[in-house]
């Protein structure tokens, strides 16, 4: 070892000890005859002292050290005269007696500090330097600890981690696959898994009973913000279980993680909201429950025949923003602009201020008298000083989603979305299918292996759109962190499902034959779920983006700018794979 | 839950309890009025009893159960009349009161027993049924436990598991990459990692200090027996360390794994053999040390001018097979044929039997008198009843490798390669380079980032072929289970290495620029190693092939015969990727 101690472990009790440290030069300060060097490693920062009067040569060498030089130092632990209460090693310093430069460094392109001067692009290009920053490294340390906790928790419950293959077959259903040409099978391709869904179901057929895997998954999607082409899933499956068993098991895991990693304890079971209720009350299947501001439906009060916009609406809903009656005209215009943005798509925003005297002043005063407005106030349970915000539209679901965006915006503005507060719930009873305008058919909302709720199976023939699924999502702070379902284990029901989804028997056999065949040999009832690890870590770490909990992330074009990947390959490689490029200039 | 207990947990102390079990029908036996069903799950087998006299209808239903039906049974735990001492649940049975068929099964294509009647091909096609066999599942359970132990061991030593990307850049150096066309970057390709080598070195530049990862790696090689296109590595790297630190750390891990997973304790440090010595004594860089039979060099004794084959040989070496003087002519011919096989390539085999009276009878008696043969006996330390086997050749290294094969064959024949015995060692001081006839240049024996031994650095300019590397392999029972090296952290030395390997500065920059750039910003001294997890598990499990510790392995053509992957993809997918097939019929 090049060191006897790390830069994070020395304390006052070590005073007088001879030690050897190694690390990076964080900064050098010359103060008169003394030179102070902050030496950094993963474990902390320790101050080194060089004294020109006792060892001029050594001190001169220290004065020549540049930022990020890698050095090895021998010295004696000494109590500091002026202690630094901000760091655990702040009580001591090392009186250096020997200095060995292990490697020099050019001046880094940005400062290696928590608040760096480096922009996003340069930090990504020099990610290996960015990762030296404590703030970034801490996220990866958290990720490591979370994985250790997840593995030990599940292993103690009898779950086996089984590695499923990365080179599998391509299935056009679902998102786009990344494919891998096979040299040994010319003209044929593997696909990288979007998830090990079918493989984990096969493991249930194999009697593995309880499976999990922390596993890389791949989706070749056009990358929106905060999506990565490769991401990591905590993938789980259990046999002989009902939805209740799965919820109990993984709620237990979530609570364990919050307790061990964040010191947060939940003494109550997580709320469970049926999907329809979540949509009605919050306009979202992943409501942020850190704050209230629930939707109030206002059709009964506001459809008076006086305001055609409302009279003709399929849905009128409002939220009450406490204390916001003071909002200026400008602020209200901003909110109107916000809901009218194309991503949200509302036509306009109606507001009503509850004034100090209890009267209501609204943007639609010419259509409603104070009696109606007082009824509105009552129904909204609004108090003096509150601001009522109302959206309407001719598609109830769309309008709810618009109102959801407004609610989240108001939550943000009111500071109600505190990153150190965690509100978890289960959303259940998802619709089995959703209509695709593009494909002109019903699509599986979850995936084609999802089991319908038993009480709705009779509707599969008569009203499939009304069938609810035995599916569930875990939601934290408005983010879906995990989701899953009970799976179909009955080959006939699976065939029926493919039929409803528009698969011919041949196509179903071609794409999922291996699974349907497996189901002929005694498939147990089973179900499971998958957590998005990147998202889960980012919530625990209080990050805005999943990027900062990934060591080497890709940018929005799917590029690794540090490695400069993807890139062109040799003609020889293409020839071996029997491929020609067909790139239009 | 569909059960209150598993099929592996009921004991005599549970007698009288009402329980519900669920699992697979292993077998049904009708004995008079009684029907016995063995119910199986991952945890064990429990006997169910149905009595025609007490419940004729239920018993009739039980009689109709087929193999591998999935059932749920309610009943009472009862002490067995005739106990089965072979299974932990053998003291009890369940008097069934209710039977629920959860799923039927077609007759499986092979028996779900440890000694199945299914051949390799059919077991792979129906791998989900093969995995039901306890013998196969136990390997995967061991794999799971090994991963848990590895992670906790390394985590406790401060190692962080960091996920490195799967979609990286292709480097023509080394084995062939699997590549992944990028839709968003037409004409460009990602590569799947052959190992995270450069990325883990970047993590050391980042100051991560101690990294590990259990990670899938990919090599598009022509598959020899017991190679898989995707395999799993326990990948590790440490900063500020010397070879000694790495050996200590990972020898500790190996000992921990043997102790916890196999109950085997090693009280001595593992042997360390320099590569040159391993080659001299065993003709292998991964000697099987479960038995002796070391090479003895015989040039001094047998070069007498009487036998031209030996007189002209660059190397003459022998091994002494104890007790094999009784070998018949036929057995000796078999051995001769063995060494003459093209894979081994010896020209012939000389043998000498030490007879009961101490005289030596050899296949070269006409060239050597008894005095010489007695000298041979002395040097070989052979005793009456022993068989001396001798190979010679004009290339010492090649002949040693041939003699190695013979030694292993004799070890096998003599039962000295016991799967329950474990002999571990480190092989060190590997040559830095090896000459490639194909490429007509020196190639890195390990990889281009390997640090030369300090004492040999001066030879880089004058005699690079003589330079030894700061590299080490861990060998267990004749198998290389892990290997690694101290890496170069000095940019100048790295440049020199690329130069010796025949890289132009431009080519080095193109392929490894990101790493060489990183090294400009303060790279610490570092080194590491990687274990082959599949091989490691297979040794612990006593398997002949790594396949049986992989859930869904591929065959020798790189195919997953269960999934039928790889396969053709849609033209639409090819178009999106800007690719044309160019397959010659």
């Amino acid at each position: 070892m090049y060191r006897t101690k790390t830069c994070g472990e020395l304390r006052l009790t070590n005073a007088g000890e001879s030690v050897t440290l190694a690390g990076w030069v964080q900064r050098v300060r010359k103060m008169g005859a003394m030179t102070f060097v902050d030496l950094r490693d993963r474990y902390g920062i320790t101050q080194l002292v060089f004294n020109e009067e006792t060892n001029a040569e050594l001190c001169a060498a220290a004065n020549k050290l540049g930022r990020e030089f890698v050095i090895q130092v021998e010295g004696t632990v000494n109590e500091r005269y002026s202690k630094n209460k901000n760091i655990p090693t702040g009580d001591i310093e090392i009186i250096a007696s020997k200095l060995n430069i292990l490697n020099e460094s050019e001046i880094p392109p940005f400062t290696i500090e928590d608040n760096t001067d480096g922009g996003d692009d340069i930090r990504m290009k020099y990610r290996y330097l960015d990762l030296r920053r404590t703030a970034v490294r801490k996220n990866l340390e958290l990720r490591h600890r979370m994985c250790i906790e997840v593995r030990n928790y599940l292993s103690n419950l009898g779950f086996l981690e089984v590695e499923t293959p990365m080179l599998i077959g391509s299935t056009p259903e679902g998102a786009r696959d990344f494919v891998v040409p096979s040299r040994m099978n010319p003209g044929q391709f593997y696909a990288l898994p979007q998830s090990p869904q079918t493989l984990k179901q096969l493991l249930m057929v194999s009697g593995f009973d309880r499976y999990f895997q922390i596993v890389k998954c791949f989706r070749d999607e056009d990358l929106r913000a905060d999506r990565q082409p490769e991401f990591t899933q905590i993938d789980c499956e259990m046999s002989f279980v009902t939805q209740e068993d799965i919820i109990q098991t993984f709620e237990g895991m979530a609570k364990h993680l919050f307790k061990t990693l964040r010191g947060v304890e939940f003494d109550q079971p997580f709320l469970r909201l049926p999907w329809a209720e979540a949509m009605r009350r919050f306009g979202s299947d992943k409501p942020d429950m850190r704050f209230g501001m629930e939707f109030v439906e206002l059709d009964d009060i506001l459809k008076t025949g006086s305001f055609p916009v409302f009279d003709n609406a399929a849905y009128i809903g409002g939220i009450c923003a406490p204390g916001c009656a003071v909002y200026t005209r400008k602020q209200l215009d901003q909110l109107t602009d916000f809901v009218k943005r194309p991503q949200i798509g509302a036509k306009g925003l109606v507001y009503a201020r509850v004034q100090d005297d209890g009267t209501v002043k609204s943007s639609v005063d010419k259509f409603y008298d104070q009696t109606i407005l007082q009824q509105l106030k009552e129904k909204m349970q609004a108090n003096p000083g509150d601001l009522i915000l109302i959206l309407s539209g001719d598609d109830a679901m769309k309008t709810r989603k618009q109102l959801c965006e407004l609610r989240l915006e108001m939550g943000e503005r009111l500071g109600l979305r505190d990153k150190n507060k965690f509100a978890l719930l289960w959303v259940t009873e998802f619709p089995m299918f959703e209509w695709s305008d593009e494909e002109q058919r019903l699509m599986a909302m979850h995936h084609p292996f999802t089991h319908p709720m038993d009480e709705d199976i009779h509707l599969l023939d008569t009203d499939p759109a009304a069938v609810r699924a035995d599916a569930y999502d875990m939601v934290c702070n408005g983010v879906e962190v995990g989701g899953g379902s009970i799976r179909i284990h009955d080959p006939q029901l699976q065939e029926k499902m493919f039929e409803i989804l528009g698969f011919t028997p041949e196509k179903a056999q071609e794409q999922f034959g291996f699974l349907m065949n497996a189901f002929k040999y005694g498939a147990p009832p089973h179900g499971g779920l998958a957590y998005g690890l990147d998202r889960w870590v980012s919530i625990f770490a209080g990050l805005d983006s999943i990027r900062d909990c990934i060591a080497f992330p890709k940018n929005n074009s799917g590029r690794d700018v540090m490695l400069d990947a993807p890139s062109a390959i040799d003609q020889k490689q293409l020839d071996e794979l029997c491929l020609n490029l067909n790139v239009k200039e």
Side-chain angles (χ1 to χ4, degrees), chain A:
Chain A
M1 291 290 289
Y2 283 71
R3 65 189 175 210
T4 59
K5 299 281 179 186
T6 71
C7 297
E9 64 184 302
L10 292 171
R11 299 289 182 274
L12 207 44
T13 49
N14 301 100
E17 287 179 22
S18 290
V19 297
T20 306
L21 301 184
W24 285 260
V25 172
Q26 179 76 25
R27 71 180 67 81
V28 180
R29 277 162 300 154
K30 189 166 163 55
M31 298 175 74
M34 311 286 277
T35 296
F36 298 93
V37 174
D38 282 351
L39 188 67
R40 186 195 72 232
D41 67 11
R42 185 183 120 196
Y43 311 95
I45 285 183
T46 298
Q47 177 170 290
L48 313 175
V49 186
F50 299 83
N51 189 335
E52 197 179 313
E53 286 167 17
T54 54
N55 191 334
E57 197 184 342
L58 193 69
C59 192
N63 285 330
K64 283 188 200 140
L65 292 173
R67 280 202 288 135
E68 302 305 317
F69 274 40
V70 185
I71 61 171
Q72 182 187 35
V73 171
E74 287 178 36
T76 309
V77 183
N78 186 47
E79 180 171 0
R80 271 208 216 180
Y81 179 71
S82 70
K83 300 194 170 54
N84 180 348
K85 293 292 168 206
N86 296 322
I87 56 173
T89 58
D91 287 351
I92 57 94
E93 61 193 4
I94 309 294
I95 308 294
S97 57
K98 202 172 158 189
L99 169 64
N100 179 17
I101 295 177
L102 298 172
N103 223 339
E104 300 193 344
S105 172
E106 293 185 6
I107 294 165
F110 51 87
T111 56
I112 312 295
E113 306 274 0
D114 280 0
N115 288 311
T116 179
D117 56 359
D120 230 37
D121 289 349
I122 196 139
R123 292 199 296 110
M124 287 301 142
K125 182 161 162 55
Y126 295 88
R127 182 65 165 174
Y128 44 85
L129 297 181
D130 196 33
L131 288 171
R132 283 189 191 163
R133 295 167 55 229
T134 304
V136 181
R137 198 193 58 242
K138 286 228 169 302
N139 300 330
L140 291 162
E141 288 175 350
L142 174 67
R143 186 180 181 111
H144 164 76
R145 288 204 313 280
M146 184 178 285
C147 289
I148 289 278
E149 289 294 339
V150 165
R151 287 193 161 101
N152 289 335
Y153 187 87
L154 292 176
S155 186
N156 287 336
L157 289 179
F159 284 80
L160 295 174
E161 184 161 24
V162 180
E163 289 177 63
T164 52
M166 289 281 159
L167 299 172
I168 63 171
S170 182
T171 53
E173 184 75 352
R176 207 182 282 106
D177 285 322
F178 280 105
V179 295
V180 182
S182 166
R183 182 181 53 88
M184 299 227 273
N185 304 273
Q188 300 193 336
F189 292 75
Y190 302 98
L192 301 178
Q194 295 183 31
S195 95
Q197 181 61 34
T198 52
L199 291 158
K200 71 178 174 177
Q201 292 193 244
L202 289 179
L203 286 173
M204 295 301 106
V205 174
S206 299
F208 271 58
D209 206 69
R210 295 180 163 207
Y211 145 94
F212 81 102
Q213 190 181 190
I214 301 184
V215 61
K216 272 280 170 73
C217 300
F218 304 85
R219 266 175 224 178
D220 185 13
E221 291 175 333
D222 297 312
L223 301 175
R224 284 179 272 155
D226 225 24
R227 286 265 184 109
Q228 288 279 320
E230 53 179 305
F231 55 98
T232 305
Q233 238 172 243
I234 307 173
D235 192 50
C236 310
E237 198 79 2
M238 305 170 80
S239 289
F240 300 115
V241 290
T242 62
Q243 182 180 124
E244 185 62 30
D245 302 309
I246 293 178
I247 284 184
Q248 290 294 341
T249 304
F250 291 98
E251 185 166 321
M253 186 174 92
K255 287 179 174 174
H256 173 79
L257 294 177
F258 271 105
K259 189 171 161 184
T260 51
L261 301 176
R262 288 287 319 227
V264 173
E265 295 207 40
F266 297 93
D267 48 7
Q268 295 294 317
F270 294 170
L271 180 72
R272 296 190 202 173
L273 269 190
W275 178 86
E277 186 181 341
M279 295 308 295
R280 201 173 62 241
R281 291 169 55 191
F282 304 98
S284 171
D285 57 3
K286 41 181 193 282
D288 187 342
M289 305 292 279
R290 282 173 294 185
F291 63 104
M293 248 189 256
E294 282 192 30
F295 295 3
V296 178
E297 292 188 16
L298 300 169
D299 300 43
D300 52 344
I301 294 170
L302 297 178
K303 284 197 173 183
T304 56
S306 54
F307 182 37
V309 170
F310 283 173
D311 292 334
N312 299 326
Y315 175 87
I316 313 169
I319 56 173
C320 176
C324 294
V326 293
Y327 264 37
T328 61
R329 180 68 204 216
K330 193 177 162 196
Q331 285 174 299
L332 290 164
D333 285 347
Q334 280 172 351
L335 285 182
T336 305
D337 291 344
F338 174 81
V339 299
K340 287 168 90 171
R341 285 159 48 183
Q343 305 96 303
I344 298 181
K347 295 241 173 68
L349 173 67
V350 168
Y351 60 84
R353 296 189 180 93
V354 184
Q355 296 177 293
D356 287 347
D357 63 1
T359 59
V360 176
K361 187 98 190 64
S362 85
S363 59
V364 284
D365 276 3
K366 60 177 164 179
F367 304 111
Y368 299 102
D369 60 23
Q370 194 61 218
T371 316
I372 301 286
L373 293 175
Q374 285 299 317
Q375 287 172 13
L376 171 68
K377 181 178 86 173
E378 288 306 312
K379 184 138 194 208
M380 293 299 305
Q381 299 185 18
N383 294 312
D386 292 352
L387 175 69
I388 298 167
L389 298 166
I390 302 172
L391 292 181
S392 67
D394 51 14
D395 180 322
M397 247 350 151
K398 278 190 187 157
T399 312
R400 284 194 179 103
K401 285 178 186 169
Q402 293 160 358
L403 193 54
C404 168
E405 295 295 334
L406 183 60
R407 172 179 175 269
L408 293 175
E409 172 69 15
M410 292 311 296
E412 198 70 54
R413 286 176 181 233
L414 290 167
L416 301 173
R417 305 183 73 186
D418 178 355
K419 280 183 184 157
N420 290 307
K421 197 174 153 186
F422 300 97
L424 285 107
L425 76 154
W426 293 96
V427 176
T428 59
E429 300 181 27
F430 278 82
M432 187 77 209
F433 306 102
E434 53 188 348
W435 180 256
S436 163
D437 284 334
E438 192 186 337
E439 302 258 341
Q440 284 291 305
R441 65 170 172 100
L442 289 177
M443 306 276 283
M445 193 156 179
H446 204 68
H447 55 57
F449 317 110
T450 306
H451 201 285
M453 284 176 68
D454 283 329
E455 49 268 56
D456 289 357
I457 285 183
H458 70 279
L459 296 171
L460 279 174
D461 288 317
T462 53
D463 186 9
V467 174
R468 289 165 301 163
D470 213 345
Y472 32 81
D473 277 358
M474 186 188 274
V475 174
C476 178
N477 292 1
V479 175
E480 181 215 318
V481 289
S485 65
I486 297 296
R487 326 299 183 186
I488 298 169
H489 65 280
D490 173 21
Q492 278 87 49
L493 184 57
Q494 187 64 67
E495 275 173 34
K496 157 145 260 145
M497 199 59 59
F498 283 134
E499 189 190 312
I500 294 173
L501 293 170
F503 283 70
T504 60
E506 293 72 33
K507 196 175 157 207
Q509 186 62 36
E510 185 191 316
Q511 283 186 34
F512 300 109
F514 63 95
L515 189 68
M516 289 163 76
N517 287 339
F519 280 7
K520 293 179 190 159
Y521 295 100
H526 62 287
L529 99 182
Y531 284 94
L533 177 67
D534 309 295
R535 197 136 291 163
W536 206 212
V537 177
S538 71
I539 287 174
F540 272 67
L543 300 173
D544 292 318
S545 160
I546 60 168
R547 265 209 217 168
D548 272 334
C549 65
I550 296 172
F552 300 106
K554 294 190 173 50
N555 72 10
N556 280 348
S557 318
R559 292 200 70 80
D560 185 320
V561 294
M562 178 188 73
L563 298 177
D564 195 22
S567 60
I569 58 174
D570 291 351
Q571 186 60 41
K572 185 180 162 213
Q573 284 175 288
L574 289 170
D575 291 344
E576 283 184 331
L577 297 170
C578 300
L579 291 177
N580 283 337
L581 295 184
N582 178 26
V583 182
K584 281 104 191 159
E585 298 302 317

